[in-house]
Every structure is written in C-alpha cells, then in structure tokens.
C-alpha cells in the first residue's frame, strides 16, 4: 500500500513544497489498469445467483426495479449490505421492506448497482451468504407467524428469519464494541446494527441455543424466530408441538401455514427465473483480465453520475460510499474564485458547511494538509500524535468535526474548471487500503466532474439570461429615446394650434386631453425598460363587489342549469373585509359548490350580506348562505370541519369544509353552521372588517 504522508511528513519548508506543486496536477487517466491497485482483481467466478438474476434484469432498456427489489430483499447479504449503507428511518418498514429496498436501489442507479455486484463476491462469501439452507423458508415462516400472532412489525420478523442462518454461521464475540482492526470483516450483528433496526432483533440473532423455558420468557421476536427455524426444518412435523407452545397457534393452523409458505418459497425460487448460464451477463473477465475488470468498473462509475443534478449526485454518493468501501461520504472541497476552499456538494450538513466557510481555509495555506493536496495533486494525511493542533489548527478543527482521529486527503481531477480534494475521516491511516482508495477516488472524481459540469451549465444559463435581459432593456431604452422626438414634436404642434385659436374653449379641452395621453405614452415608454416589481395581492376586498362578480360567473353553472334558484342580497354601503379577494372567493366557492351538489331541482339558495356586526369585540362583515336542501346528518354536523372521507364518491376528498375553516381562521374569521334534516342548511361567515390602524 502506498503510504499517505501524515502530519509529520508534511512539515515541509516552502521551497520544497512549491517544487512539487505542479507535478501531476492534472494527471491523465490514460492507463487505468496501471493507476488502479493490484488488489482490484477480477471477481471470483462463483457469483451468487441473486447477483446474476439482478444483472440479467438490468440488461433491459427499462429495468423493472420492483422485480430487482424483490430479488434483493430475498438475498440475506445483499439486503443486509444495502440497509447497512442507508439505515432505515423510524417507521420506514411500515410501508414495506420492498419499498425501502427499491428506494435505495433506484437512488444507487443501474450502473453503480452493476459495479457493486461485480466486485461483491469475496465480501459476500465472508459474511456468510453462500447457499444457507432453508434461509428463505425461515424468513417466510417468520413473516407469516408474525402475521398470525399479530406481531406489530412483521417485516422485522422476516429480516430476522432471513439473517438467522448467517448470524449462526459467523459467531459474534462477547464484546459488542468495535471489531478488531486486524479483522477483515466485522461481526455479523455489527452490520445489522448499522441498518437502523431495534436491539430486539440484535438480541434474537445473538442468542444461541437456549431452553424453551428461557425462550418463553424472552421478547416475542425471539419466540417467533425460534419457531420459524423449527417450522422451516425438513422434519418440522416432529417439532409441531414445540412450535405450538412457542406461538400459541393450533396444530391445524401451523400445518396450513407451513403448506402455504412452502408454495410461496417454491414460487420465489423460480420467479424471476435465473437465466441459463449461456444467457447470463459475463461476470468474470478474460483469464488474467484484471485491467479489463478495472476498466469496466471505471466506465460504470463514470456513467453512474452523468447528467444528474448536484442534489441527486450527493444522494447517490451518500449511498455508494458506505456500500462500496464501508465509509461515510467524505467532504468534497474545491477552491472558489477567491481561492477559498468550499464544499462542492449541496447536501453537506449545513452546520459543517458553515463552519468550513468560517475557517477561511485557502488553497495557498502553507500549513494545511488539505491545501497541500489541492495544490500538489498528491495524497496527504493528518493523523496527529498528540491532542494539540500542531502546525494547522484548521486541519485539527476538521478532524474533530468529522469525529475521527484524523483524515486523509485524496486529490481529484474534476474536469475543466479546476481540481477538488476529498477529505476522508479515518481512525487510522491504514483503514483506507489501496483498493478502497482507488474505488473512492473513482466515485468522488466522477461525482465532482458532474457537479462541476452542472454548475458551469447553470452559470452559463444565468449569464445568458442576464445578457438577454440587458440587451432587451437597452433596446427598449433606445426605442423610448427615439420615440421621445416625435412625441415632443406632436406636443409642440398642439401647443401652437392652441395659441392660434385662444378663444376656442372646446379646442383647448381637446388639446388638454391629447397632451395628457401623449404624456402617458411617454411615461409608458420610459418605464418599459424597467423590470416589473412582483405584485402582492392586497389583504382586503370589497365584499359586495366580489359577491356580484361570483353571481355573474357561477350562478348559471352551479344553480340555474340545475333548476335551482339563486338569490343575492347586499347592502347599499361599501363593506371592505380584511381578507384577500382570492381567499374569500375560494371559501365562498367551496360552500356554493357543496350546496349545488346537495340540492335538488326546484330548490333555492340565498346569499345575504348583512351590515357590520360585533364579534368578540371586533367589527365584522356577516355573510349568510342558506339553502332548503336535505340538511346534514347528525354524525356529519357533529364533526363538520374535520377532514373525513366524502360520501359523494368520485374525486371528492371530504376536505372542502376543513379548508374553508382553516382559510377563515388564518384571517381571524369564523364560520357557524345550522342544519336540520329535511329543512336545509345555513352557514354564517364572520370576517373582520378592514380598518385603518
């Protein structure tokens, strides 16, 4: 493994540092097989069948992600690694395991999924995923036993059954702390803990053979998994009584459940069908084809980030880093135009982004390992031997913010527009091997190139839009300037005509009108070059005018066409309510539409705008909407303004009155309802009047 310079190595003098700055700054990727470490060898020929089935499903132009998620959720190791890389959120399993798996797979994308599967075989075997007997049968038995016994989290039971054989094949040490640095793969339950699942599942997986009396005193999930293991055994009939005791289910129920699960698992094994050997994608390169395998990985990783938005790049990278190399997404930094190092990805935690900006770390900083990696294009590292900051307090800060003992810096070629550097938090320098370093560099470089490209496109678009706006405004200014001359001539000629006939008062009135219009044209031309200000709706409206406008627009459509009489009664005064016109219109339209749908031909609806009334010490406008329809049921009237399923069917959601209540409440209004079955319904709206402060 190539040694990364540590903090003690980077205590360089200025001359020696500058001599190596420009070397290899933009190194070409002309021979990927030489640049990649020898540890990235071709995968072992024995790929798991689930990987072959997924790669076969990915070979189509439009992969069926539901099918791919189904395959992944049935494979104990693939499912475990995927959930460990992106832990489950609280209650996420409520929507179903397949939904959670599919969301992660689509975030990863087809190309990165291919790259991951191509290099997975060695880790897959070490975790214990090669052909565990009755794995899927145990998982399905656990799921169906959970459903039968009303266990509240059946998918959790399924995962316990899926992983129980793997956990038994890789015993876990008594010490639950972090695994030894010399241990190539962590204990099995270390992975399960990373999935965001409760400790009850960890306990069930770590429990070895125990007496049934102990099982009966354990958590219900322990009993379910022990029962599922018995039920999945080939000689399950001999353990029927034991399973009955563990689950409380009858023997007949267990026999029926075991038969059903057997059919389900048999169907799982044949669907989706694993393609014949001759039709499977080539998983293994040609003999001695290490460089070919590396080239394939390089191409897949590069293609995985093409044409994504910066937010999508960051989401994909956040899943890929722990999935490929078991490390969280590093910080990706690039220099801005002033030379300050800033986060390149938009989803870096906001607090960390703020702290990095406040450091004012520059690319030409002589003490920082990060700045040196950016300038020189060579890896550096910061692993202090004492708790004190050392030469660079900025590096000390960043290591602490990452929550690690130190970090290594990987310089990246991010294409045209500059370089970038990845800051990878580590406990020890040796935690990042040469193969992982190569994979991480490939992932981060591809992500950085895409983000740089998208940022350049956005900047180009913004600059082009600004240039077009500038040109348009200049054009209008020229037009306004040129139009001023004929307007001035016209006004002068009109003035001369008025002077020639001073006694003609009618002519002078006409002249004044024409001069006013010419001035208006001049003002319009003068202001045409200015960008219009955003219009904000006034928080007030004339209620009577709005009601008349609504009668003209909706009375025929909602009422007359249905044979219903619509009456509007307003006062002669001007009532201005403290509510935007669009909001009041939405409130009234909801109530009018409800009335028209409830009434029969021959009915009558009356809308009254009464004079101001005092409500809770405040003057309000009162609007009454009364119909002689069928009235509201007692059940509906008791809970009138809460969302509930509508009895109307179709597209009705049952939220109209709840929306009316909320809109009025936002502006201090009230709504009351009186209804009698067979006699009709009346709504009274009280809306505060607009009063000068």
């Amino acid at each position: 493994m190539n040694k990364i310079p540590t903090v003690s190595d980077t205590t360089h003098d200025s001359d020696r540092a500058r001599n190596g700055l420009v070397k290899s700054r933009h190194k070409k990727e002309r021979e990927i097989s030489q640049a990649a470490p020898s540890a990235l060898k071709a995968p072992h020929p024995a790929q798991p069948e689930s990987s072959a089935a997924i790669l076969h499903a990915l070979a189509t132009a439009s992969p069926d992600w539901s099918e791919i998620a189904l395959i992944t959720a049935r494979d104990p190791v693939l499912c475990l690694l995927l959930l460990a890389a992106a832990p489950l959120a609280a209650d996420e399993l409520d929507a179903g395991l397949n939904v959670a798996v599919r969301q992660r797979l689509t975030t990863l994308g087809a190309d990165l999924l291919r790259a991951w599967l191509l290099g997975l075989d060695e880790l897959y075997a070490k975790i214990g995923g090669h052909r565990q007997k009755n794995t899927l049968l145990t998982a399905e038995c656990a799921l169906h036993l959970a459903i039968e016994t009303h266990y509240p989290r059946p998918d959790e039971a399924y995962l316990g059954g899926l992983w129980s054989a793997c956990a038994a094949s890789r015993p876990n040490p008594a010490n639950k702390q972090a695994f030894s640095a010399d241990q190539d793969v962590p204990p099995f339950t270390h992975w399960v803990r990373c999935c965001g699942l409760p400790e009850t599942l960890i306990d069930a997986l770590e429990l070895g053979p125990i007496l049934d009396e102990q099982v009966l005193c354990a958590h219900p999930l322990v009993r379910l998994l022990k029962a599922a293991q018995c039920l999945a055994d080939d000689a399950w009939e001999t353990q029927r009584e034991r399973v009955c005791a563990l689950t409380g289910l009858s023997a007949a129920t267990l026999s029926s459940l075991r038969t059903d699960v057997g059919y389900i698992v048999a169907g799982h094994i044949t669907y989706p069908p694993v393609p014949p050997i001759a039709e499977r994608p080539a998983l293994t390169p040609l003999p001695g084809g290490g460089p070919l395998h590396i080239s394939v990985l390089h191409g897949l990783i590069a293609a995985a980030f093409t044409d994504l938005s910066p937010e999508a790049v960051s989401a994909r990278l956040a899943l890929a880093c722990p999935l490929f190399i078991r490390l969280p997404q590093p910080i990706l930094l690039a220099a801005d135009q002033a030379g300050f190092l800033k986060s390149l990805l938009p989803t870096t935690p906001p607090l960390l982004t703020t702290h990095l900006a406040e450091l004012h770390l520059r690319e030409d900083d002589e003490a920082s390992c990060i700045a040196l990696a950016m300038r020189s294009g060579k890896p550096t590292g910061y692993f202090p031997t004492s708790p004190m900051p050392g030469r660079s307090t900025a590096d000390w800060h960043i290591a602490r913010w990452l929550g690690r003992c130190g970090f290594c810096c990987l310089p990246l070629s991010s294409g045209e527009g500059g370089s970038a550097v990845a800051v990878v938090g580590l406990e020890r320098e040796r935690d990042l091997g040469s193969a992982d370093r190569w994979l991480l560099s490939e992932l981060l470089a591809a992500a950085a190139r895409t983000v740089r490209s998208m940022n350049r496109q956005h900047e180009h678009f913004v600059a082009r839009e600004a240039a077009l706006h500038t040109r348009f405004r200049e054009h209008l200014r020229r037009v306004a300037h040129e139009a001023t001359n004929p307007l001035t001539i016209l006004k002068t000629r009109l003035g001369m005509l008025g002077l020639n006939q001073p006694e003609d008062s009618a002519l002078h009135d006409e002249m004044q009108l024409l001069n006013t219009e010419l001035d208006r044209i001049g003002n319009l031309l003068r202001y045409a070059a200015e960008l219009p200000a955003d219009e904000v709706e006034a928080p007030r409206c004339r209620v009577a005018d709005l009601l008349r406008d609504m009668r003209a627009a909706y009375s025929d459509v909602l009422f007359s066409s249905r044979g219903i009489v619509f009456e509007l009664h307003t006062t002669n005064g001007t009532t201005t309510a403290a509510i935007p016109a669009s909001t009041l219109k939405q409130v009234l339209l909801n109530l009018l539409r409800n009335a028209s749908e409830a009434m029969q031909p021959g009915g009558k609806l009356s809308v009254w705008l009464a004079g101001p009334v005092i409500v809770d010490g405040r003057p309000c406008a009162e609007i009454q909407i009364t119909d002689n329809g069928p009235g509201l049921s007692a059940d509906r009237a008791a809970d009138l303004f809460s969302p509930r399923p509508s009895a109307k069917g179709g597209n009705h959601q049952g939220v109209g009155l709840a929306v009316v209540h909320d809109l009025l409440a936002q502006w201090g209004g009230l709504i009351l309802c009186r209804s009698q079955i067979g006699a009709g319904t009346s709504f009274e709206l009280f809306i505060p009047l607009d009063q000068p402060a």
Side-chain angles (χ1 to χ4, degrees):
M1 180 176 68
N2 298 326
K3 187 175 184 295
I4 298 176
T6 63
V7 67
S8 58
D9 299 323
T10 56
T11 56
H12 49 280
D13 60 274
S14 300
D15 293 336
R16 179 165 61 86
R18 289 194 182 92
N19 288 336
L21 294 185
V22 187
K23 282 186 178 181
S24 308
R25 182 174 174 86
H26 296 295
K27 186 178 292 182
K28 302 291 184 182
E29 297 176 315
R30 53 187 179 276
E31 294 185 18
I32 298 171
S33 60
Q34 295 179 6
S38 58
L40 271 174
K41 56 189 177 182
H44 191 276
Q47 286 278 339
E49 286 191 351
S50 51
S51 294
I54 292 173
L55 289 169
H56 181 71
L58 290 172
T60 62
S62 299
D64 186 341
W65 287 104
S66 296
E67 179 179 303
I68 295 171
L70 186 65
I71 301 170
T72 305
R74 296 202 308 260
D75 186 288
V77 175
L78 296 185
C79 184
L80 176 70
L81 294 178
L82 191 65
L83 296 180
L88 292 161
D91 301 327
E92 189 177 358
L93 280 183
D94 290 351
L97 176 63
N98 282 1
V99 174
V101 169
R102 177 177 176 176
Q103 185 271 328
R104 287 156 177 76
L105 291 172
T106 52
T107 298
L108 190 65
D111 290 311
L112 279 187
L113 181 55
R114 292 187 184 100
W116 178 54
L117 293 175
L118 286 174
L120 184 61
D121 185 66
E122 185 176 356
L123 178 62
Y124 189 97
K126 286 180 179 179
I127 292 179
H130 280 302
R131 295 193 177 279
Q132 298 290 345
K133 184 179 180 182
N134 291 342
T135 295
L136 187 56
L137 185 59
T138 305
E140 288 292 344
C141 284
L143 173 67
H144 286 77
L145 286 172
I147 294 172
E148 286 291 335
T149 58
H150 305 291
Y151 184 71
R153 299 178 296 279
D155 277 325
E156 181 186 315
Y158 172 87
L159 289 173
L162 190 70
W163 293 335
S164 57
C166 294
S169 67
R170 296 196 68 230
N172 294 282
N175 182 7
K176 295 185 179 182
Q177 302 303 317
F179 60 96
S180 168
D182 298 328
Q183 197 173 341
D184 188 20
V185 178
F188 188 85
T189 50
H190 169 86
W191 297 94
V192 180
R193 277 193 173 86
C194 295
C195 295
L197 291 161
E199 282 293 324
T200 52
L201 180 55
I202 313 295
D203 293 344
L205 293 174
E206 287 190 343
L207 271 176
I210 58 175
L211 299 174
D212 283 0
E213 302 90 83
Q214 296 172 298
V215 175
L216 291 172
C217 297
H219 188 271
L221 185 59
V222 175
R223 299 199 296 272
L224 284 176
L225 294 189
K226 294 298 182 184
Q229 291 165 4
C230 295
L231 205 57
D233 191 84
D234 293 337
W236 66 273
E237 291 95 339
T238 62
Q239 304 188 66
R240 196 193 318 257
E241 291 185 5
R242 183 187 180 196
V243 178
C244 289
L246 291 173
T247 61
L249 299 175
S250 67
T253 299
L254 290 176
S255 297
S256 175
L257 185 149
R258 180 59 171 78
T259 302
D260 293 342
V261 169
Y263 282 121
I264 292 171
V265 172
H268 280 341
I269 293 173
T270 59
Y271 177 81
V274 177
I277 297 295
E279 298 178 12
R280 294 184 190 177
L283 303 182
T284 307
L286 298 173
L292 176 58
H293 175 65
I294 292 167
S295 297
V296 169
L297 286 180
H298 172 79
L300 288 172
I301 292 171
F305 294 96
T306 303
D307 296 331
L308 293 180
S309 68
E311 291 76 16
V313 167
S314 189
R316 182 161 291 181
L317 195 60
L319 177 58
C321 288
L323 196 60
F324 278 77
I325 57 172
R326 291 180 263 163
L327 285 175
Q329 178 181 331
I331 303 173
L332 203 56
L333 300 175
D336 62 13
Q337 293 181 349
F340 292 103
L341 299 184
K342 301 291 181 63
S343 176
L344 191 59
L345 296 175
T347 54
T348 300
L351 190 59
L352 182 56
T353 301
T354 302
H355 290 168
L356 287 169
E358 291 170 348
L359 276 180
H360 298 295
L361 180 61
R362 293 181 58 89
E363 186 178 12
D364 57 5
D365 189 296
E366 292 291 337
S368 171
C369 295
I370 301 173
L372 176 61
M374 177 71 76
R375 297 193 309 269
S376 66
K378 294 181 179 180
T380 61
Y382 175 82
F383 295 91
T385 56
S386 73
M388 299 307 294
R391 293 189 72 241
S392 175
T393 308
D395 289 355
W396 175 80
H397 275 304
I398 292 174
R400 289 169 62 85
W401 296 341
L402 291 172
R404 300 301 178 97
C405 294
F407 57 78
C408 73
C409 304
L410 302 179
L412 308 169
S413 174
S414 58
E416 298 178 5
S419 298
V421 62
V423 183
V424 188
L426 299 170
E427 294 299 327
R428 295 165 294 271
E429 179 184 352
R430 60 180 175 174
D431 285 351
L432 189 66
S434 57
D436 286 343
R437 194 186 316 161
W438 183 86
L439 270 174
L440 184 59
S441 297
E442 287 289 312
L443 287 167
L444 296 172
R449 284 194 295 270
T450 297
V451 172
R452 289 273 196 186
S453 175
M454 297 301 294
N455 287 343
R456 285 196 302 273
Q457 290 180 27
H458 178 70
E459 291 168 1
H460 175 71
F461 174 80
V462 170
R464 187 178 64 179
E465 289 293 304
L468 286 173
H469 287 154
T470 301
R471 288 174 57 191
F472 182 68
R473 287 196 296 271
E474 289 299 323
H475 173 70
L476 286 177
R477 287 192 183 101
R478 286 195 296 270
V479 170
H481 180 269
E482 293 300 323
T484 301
N485 294 330
L487 287 176
T488 302
I489 293 172
L490 287 173
K491 291 191 68 174
T492 302
R493 295 293 295 173
L494 288 173
M496 293 175 63
L497 288 174
L499 291 174
N500 292 335
Q501 302 183 43
E503 304 299 329
D504 192 340
S505 59
L507 177 62
H508 279 274
D509 291 341
E510 291 292 331
M511 295 298 180
Q512 185 177 0
L513 178 62
L514 290 174
N515 275 306
T516 301
E517 290 302 308
L518 289 174
D519 288 338
R520 193 166 70 87
I521 293 172
N523 290 332
L524 288 174
L525 289 170
R526 192 174 304 112
Y527 296 131
E530 303 299 327
L531 292 176
D534 293 336
E535 294 185 3
V536 179
E537 185 179 8
R540 65 189 65 84
C541 66
R542 294 173 179 262
V543 181
D545 293 345
L546 186 141
L547 288 172
R548 295 187 191 103
D549 291 343
M550 292 192 68
R551 177 179 60 183
Y554 299 108
S555 63
D556 288 341
V557 176
L558 294 178
F559 300 102
S560 298
S561 62
R562 299 170 179 258
I564 301 170
V565 176
F566 179 89
E567 291 184 348
L568 174 63
H569 305 275
T570 63
T571 58
N572 294 326
T574 301
T575 304
T576 303
I579 187 172
S582 62
T583 302
L584 182 55
K585 183 176 180 180
Q586 184 178 353
V587 167
L588 294 171
L589 189 56
N590 266 308
L591 296 174
L592 295 179
R593 184 181 290 116
N594 284 349
S596 71
E597 291 171 350
M599 298 174 68
Q600 298 297 322
K604 178 180 177 181
L605 179 92
S606 298
V607 179
W608 296 77
L609 175 60
V613 295
I614 304 300
V615 179
D616 294 335
R618 185 174 181 181
C620 292
E622 180 185 2
I623 303 174
Q624 295 181 5
I625 302 175
T626 305
D627 67 60
N628 59 356
L632 297 171
S633 66
D635 175 62
R636 185 63 178 125
D639 190 24
L640 191 57
F641 301 112
S642 298
R644 58 187 296 174
S646 174
K648 299 176 184 177
N651 295 323
H652 297 284
Q653 303 297 316
V655 298
L657 290 177
V659 170
V660 165
H661 180 272
D662 292 344
L663 288 175
L664 288 173
Q666 290 175 16
W667 295 93
L670 296 173
I671 181 171
L672 301 177
C673 177
R674 295 182 178 86
S675 184
Q676 184 176 353
I677 295 178
T681 302
S682 176
F683 286 97
E684 292 178 89
L685 282 60
F686 300 95
I687 307 165
L689 295 179
D690 181 55
Q691 294 180 315

